[in-house]
């Protein structure tokens, strides 16, 4: 059993390079299903979700090879299946992204329904309605989505809710449809733009990505391409918050400030001094304690729900009281109970968390519940007095590349330890 062990109280200082974006690389890997030519991807992060996606593609018949550790080549020339099994989909909801590409390329897809999720119901109804609008017959039976279409047809689709993977799924399917598709109320996330850029490099005709209306003129085939994945804005934001919470300084290379405006604005409100360049961001807290900031999550360009847990941790030790309103996912406050175990003063009221900043947190064994929640627990451990042990770190490995190495490089006392099963809750410093 691997755990992350942190002895809190160190001020973070230094430079880091940000990895490729998880939420961009997953749909882009899947986009390789749309062509029989090779797609070469650079800046692919080493993450569990990337490994899971590659396993899924391999099960469908894709061939994947590495180029000197620098690039990944994927060839879907010889697909031999159109089915994504429950075993894989249940470990990663983003597996639903294969639905559109398989349908467009093979005329058929069978994808398991993702099922329950720690951060709320997260239905896929809008993905299914999008495929139906493109002319597919869709049936849900025995826990699987069964979809069929001779050739998809362009359609005018108005999304009920802004959905990131829903927009991506429909956009990918529409690239090979007959005629033009217009997606209104589309997600505007930078990862949607990165996917559109990759698809266009493969020969798709997509315009408007990054706005709320995306137009896709269908083409008869897509080809190969070389694409460099966008830097991860959530990883970037997480390390900025880590530096802010410890009163330190950080410079992040391979970071894109224009994908993080809402987060940077909030960090400035906490008292951080921020500077940005074309591919870097620096934050200096000058040893100060952060001031509390109110947060309301919203689709891009609003404040990202994937940064909510980290700002809850920041507010837990900030000066003042804040209100955190979660508007994208119900039930995304699992981290609050764990932060309370470290001494945080947080009350949950409906979709809001009221956080009264305390002077100090104190270390304790705590448990990661989902990806971003677990990052917030690590951040809290960095400032808690004594030792914090974060259990179930596989959640962190889904989305953060070498988090303990990167934080150690900044001066944190953090390590991954493999404990025997049923190890006692309190662990002496190794
Ligand atoms: C993506 C991100 C995830 C992020 C989320 C919101 C990936 C791989 N994951 O998840 O990290 O937290 O965007 O920024 O990119 N909804 C429906 N019906 C649907 C689809 C969604 O009602 O068919 C609702 C969801 O329940 C939620 C809202 O739409 O309330 C937004 O979810 P969505 O944008 O779809 O999240 P994901 O794409 O799953």
């Amino acid at each position: 059993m691997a755990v992350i062990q942190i002895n809190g109280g160190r001020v973070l200082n230094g430079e880091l390079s940000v990895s490729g974006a998880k939420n961009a690389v997953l749909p882009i890997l899947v986009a390789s299903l749309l062509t029989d030519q090779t797609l070469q991807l650079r800046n692919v992060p080493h993450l569990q979700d990337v490994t899971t996606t590659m396993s899924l593609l391999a099960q469908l018949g894709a061939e994947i090879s590495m180029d000197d550790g620098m690039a990944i080549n994927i060839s879907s020339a010889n697909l031999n299946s159109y089915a994504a099994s429950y075993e894989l989909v249940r470990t990663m909801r983003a597996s639903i992204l294969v639905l559109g590409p398989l349908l467009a390329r093979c005329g058929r897809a069978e994808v398991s329904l993702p099922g329950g999720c720690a951060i709320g119901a997260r239905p896929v109804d809008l993905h299914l309605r999008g495929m139906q609008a493109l002319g597919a017959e869709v049936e849900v039976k025995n826990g699987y989505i069964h979809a069929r279409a001779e050739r998809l047809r362009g359609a005018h689709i108005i999304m009920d809710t802004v959905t990131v993977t829903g927009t991506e799924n429909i956009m990918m399917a529409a690239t090979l449809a007959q005629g033009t598709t217009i997606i209104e109320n589309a997600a505007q996330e930078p990862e949607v733009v990165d996917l559109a850029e990759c698809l266009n490099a493969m020969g798709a005709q997509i315009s408007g990505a990054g706005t709320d209306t995306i137009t896709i003129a269908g083409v008869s085939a897509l080809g190969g391409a070389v694409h460099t994945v966008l830097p991860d804005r959530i990883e970037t934001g997480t390390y900025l918050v880590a530096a802010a919470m410890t009163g330190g300084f950080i410079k992040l290379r391979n970071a894109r400030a224009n994908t993080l405006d809402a987060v940077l604005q909030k960090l400035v409100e906490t008292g951080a001094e921020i500077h940005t360049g074309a591919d870097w961001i620096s934050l200096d807290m000058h040893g100060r304690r952060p001031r509390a900031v109110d947060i309301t999550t919203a689709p891009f360009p609003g404040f990202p729900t994937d940064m909510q847990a980290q700002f809850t941790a920041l507010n837990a030790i900030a000066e003042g009281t804040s209100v955190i309103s979660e508007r994208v996912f119900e039930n995304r406050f699992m981290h609050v109970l764990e932060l309370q175990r470290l001494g945080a003063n947080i009350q949950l009221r409906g979709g809001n968390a009221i956080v009264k900043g305390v002077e100090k947190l104190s270390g304790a064994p705590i448990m990661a519940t989902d990806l971003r929640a677990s990052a917030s627990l690590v951040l809290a451990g960095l400032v808690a007095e004594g030792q914090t042990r974060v259990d179930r770190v596989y959640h962190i490995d889904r989305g953060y590349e070498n988090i303990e190495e990167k934080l150690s490089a900044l001066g944190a006392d953090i390590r991954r330890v493999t404990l025997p099963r049923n190890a006692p809750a309190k662990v002496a410093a190794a």
Side-chain angles (χ1 to χ4, degrees), residues 398-413:
R398 289 189 46 212
Y400 290 89
E401 186 172 66
N402 301 331
I403 191 166
E404 68 275 18
E405 281 171 35
K406 288 189 176 183
L407 287 170
S408 293
L410 296 172
D413 182 348

PDB file of all heavy atoms in Angstrom, residues 398-413:
ATOM      1  N   ARG A 398      -3.457   9.439 -10.926  1.00  0.00           N
ATOM      2  CA  ARG A 398      -4.269   9.557 -12.144  1.00  0.00           C
ATOM      3  C   ARG A 398      -3.973  10.871 -12.869  1.00  0.00           C
ATOM      4  O   ARG A 398      -4.078  10.930 -14.097  1.00  0.00           O
ATOM      5  CB  ARG A 398      -5.759   9.505 -11.797  1.00  0.00           C
ATOM      6  CG  ARG A 398      -6.239   8.139 -11.359  1.00  0.00           C
ATOM      7  CD  ARG A 398      -7.745   8.130 -11.260  1.00  0.00           C
ATOM      8  NE  ARG A 398      -8.329   8.755 -12.436  1.00  0.00           N
ATOM      9  CZ  ARG A 398      -9.462   9.441 -12.434  1.00  0.00           C
ATOM     10  NH1 ARG A 398     -10.151   9.591 -11.339  1.00  0.00           N
ATOM     11  NH2 ARG A 398      -9.912   9.970 -13.547  1.00  0.00           N
ATOM     12  N   GLY A 399      -3.624  11.916 -12.104  1.00  0.00           N
ATOM     13  CA  GLY A 399      -3.538  13.232 -12.738  1.00  0.00           C
ATOM     14  C   GLY A 399      -2.313  14.069 -12.433  1.00  0.00           C
ATOM     15  O   GLY A 399      -2.181  15.169 -12.973  1.00  0.00           O
ATOM     16  N   TYR A 400      -1.430  13.621 -11.527  1.00  0.00           N
ATOM     17  CA  TYR A 400      -0.225  14.411 -11.223  1.00  0.00           C
ATOM     18  C   TYR A 400       1.003  13.564 -11.467  1.00  0.00           C
ATOM     19  O   TYR A 400       1.148  12.489 -10.868  1.00  0.00           O
ATOM     20  CB  TYR A 400      -0.238  14.903  -9.766  1.00  0.00           C
ATOM     21  CG  TYR A 400      -1.291  15.962  -9.519  1.00  0.00           C
ATOM     22  CD1 TYR A 400      -2.573  15.618  -9.137  1.00  0.00           C
ATOM     23  CD2 TYR A 400      -1.003  17.318  -9.708  1.00  0.00           C
ATOM     24  CE1 TYR A 400      -3.551  16.574  -8.932  1.00  0.00           C
ATOM     25  CE2 TYR A 400      -1.966  18.291  -9.499  1.00  0.00           C
ATOM     26  CZ  TYR A 400      -3.247  17.910  -9.119  1.00  0.00           C
ATOM     27  OH  TYR A 400      -4.208  18.867  -8.929  1.00  0.00           O
ATOM     28  N   GLU A 401       1.899  14.077 -12.322  1.00  0.00           N
ATOM     29  CA  GLU A 401       3.126  13.340 -12.634  1.00  0.00           C
ATOM     30  C   GLU A 401       4.142  13.620 -11.532  1.00  0.00           C
ATOM     31  O   GLU A 401       4.465  14.794 -11.283  1.00  0.00           O
ATOM     32  CB  GLU A 401       3.652  13.841 -13.992  1.00  0.00           C
ATOM     33  CG  GLU A 401       4.831  13.087 -14.515  1.00  0.00           C
ATOM     34  CD  GLU A 401       5.172  13.496 -15.951  1.00  0.00           C
ATOM     35  OE1 GLU A 401       5.578  14.664 -16.158  1.00  0.00           O
ATOM     36  OE2 GLU A 401       5.022  12.669 -16.847  1.00  0.00           O
ATOM     37  N   ASN A 402       4.622  12.578 -10.860  1.00  0.00           N
ATOM     38  CA  ASN A 402       5.681  12.701  -9.835  1.00  0.00           C
ATOM     39  C   ASN A 402       5.451  13.827  -8.844  1.00  0.00           C
ATOM     40  O   ASN A 402       6.329  14.648  -8.610  1.00  0.00           O
ATOM     41  CB  ASN A 402       7.045  12.968 -10.504  1.00  0.00           C
ATOM     42  CG  ASN A 402       7.414  11.862 -11.446  1.00  0.00           C
ATOM     43  OD1 ASN A 402       7.015  10.721 -11.256  1.00  0.00           O
ATOM     44  ND2 ASN A 402       8.176  12.207 -12.477  1.00  0.00           N
ATOM     45  N   ILE A 403       4.282  13.873  -8.250  1.00  0.00           N
ATOM     46  CA  ILE A 403       3.970  15.028  -7.381  1.00  0.00           C
ATOM     47  C   ILE A 403       4.960  15.140  -6.229  1.00  0.00           C
ATOM     48  O   ILE A 403       5.407  16.241  -5.888  1.00  0.00           O
ATOM     49  CB  ILE A 403       2.497  14.991  -6.884  1.00  0.00           C
ATOM     50  CG1 ILE A 403       2.125  16.311  -6.214  1.00  0.00           C
ATOM     51  CG2 ILE A 403       2.218  13.800  -5.968  1.00  0.00           C
ATOM     52  CD1 ILE A 403       0.643  16.513  -5.987  1.00  0.00           C
ATOM     53  N   GLU A 404       5.360  13.986  -5.645  1.00  0.00           N
ATOM     54  CA  GLU A 404       6.251  14.102  -4.482  1.00  0.00           C
ATOM     55  C   GLU A 404       7.648  14.539  -4.919  1.00  0.00           C
ATOM     56  O   GLU A 404       8.311  15.298  -4.211  1.00  0.00           O
ATOM     57  CB  GLU A 404       6.268  12.808  -3.645  1.00  0.00           C
ATOM     58  CG  GLU A 404       6.911  11.609  -4.300  1.00  0.00           C
ATOM     59  CD  GLU A 404       5.948  10.833  -5.191  1.00  0.00           C
ATOM     60  OE1 GLU A 404       4.903  11.389  -5.582  1.00  0.00           O
ATOM     61  OE2 GLU A 404       6.252   9.674  -5.514  1.00  0.00           O
ATOM     62  N   GLU A 405       8.078  14.119  -6.121  1.00  0.00           N
ATOM     63  CA  GLU A 405       9.400  14.564  -6.595  1.00  0.00           C
ATOM     64  C   GLU A 405       9.389  16.053  -6.890  1.00  0.00           C
ATOM     65  O   GLU A 405      10.323  16.780  -6.570  1.00  0.00           O
ATOM     66  CB  GLU A 405       9.793  13.813  -7.865  1.00  0.00           C
ATOM     67  CG  GLU A 405      10.310  12.427  -7.586  1.00  0.00           C
ATOM     68  CD  GLU A 405      10.495  11.628  -8.858  1.00  0.00           C
ATOM     69  OE1 GLU A 405      10.874  12.220  -9.890  1.00  0.00           O
ATOM     70  OE2 GLU A 405      10.244  10.411  -8.818  1.00  0.00           O
ATOM     71  N   LYS A 406       8.297  16.517  -7.522  1.00  0.00           N
ATOM     72  CA  LYS A 406       8.240  17.944  -7.867  1.00  0.00           C
ATOM     73  C   LYS A 406       8.188  18.807  -6.606  1.00  0.00           C
ATOM     74  O   LYS A 406       8.873  19.823  -6.512  1.00  0.00           O
ATOM     75  CB  LYS A 406       7.038  18.220  -8.770  1.00  0.00           C
ATOM     76  CG  LYS A 406       7.231  17.681 -10.197  1.00  0.00           C
ATOM     77  CD  LYS A 406       6.138  18.147 -11.141  1.00  0.00           C
ATOM     78  CE  LYS A 406       6.422  17.675 -12.567  1.00  0.00           C
ATOM     79  NZ  LYS A 406       5.449  18.152 -13.553  1.00  0.00           N
ATOM     80  N   LEU A 407       7.416  18.384  -5.611  1.00  0.00           N
ATOM     81  CA  LEU A 407       7.325  19.174  -4.378  1.00  0.00           C
ATOM     82  C   LEU A 407       8.628  19.096  -3.579  1.00  0.00           C
ATOM     83  O   LEU A 407       9.049  20.084  -2.973  1.00  0.00           O
ATOM     84  CB  LEU A 407       6.131  18.720  -3.536  1.00  0.00           C
ATOM     85  CG  LEU A 407       4.761  19.144  -4.097  1.00  0.00           C
ATOM     86  CD1 LEU A 407       3.628  18.450  -3.355  1.00  0.00           C
ATOM     87  CD2 LEU A 407       4.567  20.657  -4.042  1.00  0.00           C
ATOM     88  N   SER A 408       9.285  17.928  -3.611  1.00  0.00           N
ATOM     89  CA  SER A 408      10.594  17.815  -2.924  1.00  0.00           C
ATOM     90  C   SER A 408      11.588  18.787  -3.542  1.00  0.00           C
ATOM     91  O   SER A 408      12.368  19.427  -2.830  1.00  0.00           O
ATOM     92  CB  SER A 408      11.188  16.418  -3.079  1.00  0.00           C
ATOM     93  OG  SER A 408      10.429  15.490  -2.421  1.00  0.00           O
ATOM     94  N   ALA A 409      11.553  18.884  -4.867  1.00  0.00           N
ATOM     95  CA  ALA A 409      12.492  19.782  -5.553  1.00  0.00           C
ATOM     96  C   ALA A 409      12.281  21.232  -5.115  1.00  0.00           C
ATOM     97  O   ALA A 409      13.194  22.054  -5.194  1.00  0.00           O
ATOM     98  CB  ALA A 409      12.320  19.656  -7.066  1.00  0.00           C
ATOM     99  N   LEU A 410      11.088  21.538  -4.629  1.00  0.00           N
ATOM    100  CA  LEU A 410      10.811  22.905  -4.158  1.00  0.00           C
ATOM    101  C   LEU A 410      11.129  23.060  -2.667  1.00  0.00           C
ATOM    102  O   LEU A 410      10.915  24.115  -2.083  1.00  0.00           O
ATOM    103  CB  LEU A 410       9.335  23.248  -4.382  1.00  0.00           C
ATOM    104  CG  LEU A 410       8.843  23.305  -5.835  1.00  0.00           C
ATOM    105  CD1 LEU A 410       7.330  23.463  -5.874  1.00  0.00           C
ATOM    106  CD2 LEU A 410       9.515  24.454  -6.591  1.00  0.00           C
ATOM    107  N   GLY A 411      11.568  21.963  -2.040  1.00  0.00           N
ATOM    108  CA  GLY A 411      11.961  22.057  -0.631  1.00  0.00           C
ATOM    109  C   GLY A 411      10.987  21.409   0.335  1.00  0.00           C
ATOM    110  O   GLY A 411      11.178  21.481   1.555  1.00  0.00           O
ATOM    111  N   ALA A 412       9.925  20.772  -0.165  1.00  0.00           N
ATOM    112  CA  ALA A 412       8.979  20.123   0.749  1.00  0.00           C
ATOM    113  C   ALA A 412       9.591  18.846   1.312  1.00  0.00           C
ATOM    114  O   ALA A 412      10.409  18.205   0.647  1.00  0.00           O
ATOM    115  CB  ALA A 412       7.683  19.791   0.016  1.00  0.00           C
ATOM    116  N   ASP A 413       9.190  18.488   2.523  1.00  0.00           N
ATOM    117  CA  ASP A 413       9.594  17.209   3.113  1.00  0.00           C
ATOM    118  C   ASP A 413       8.455  16.224   2.844  1.00  0.00           C
ATOM    119  O   ASP A 413       7.491  16.140   3.613  1.00  0.00           O
ATOM    120  CB  ASP A 413       9.828  17.400   4.625  1.00  0.00           C
ATOM    121  CG  ASP A 413      10.307  16.111   5.291  1.00  0.00           C
ATOM    122  OD1 ASP A 413      10.244  15.039   4.640  1.00  0.00           O
ATOM    123  OD2 ASP A 413      10.716  16.190   6.462  1.00  0.00           O
TER     124      ASP A 413
END
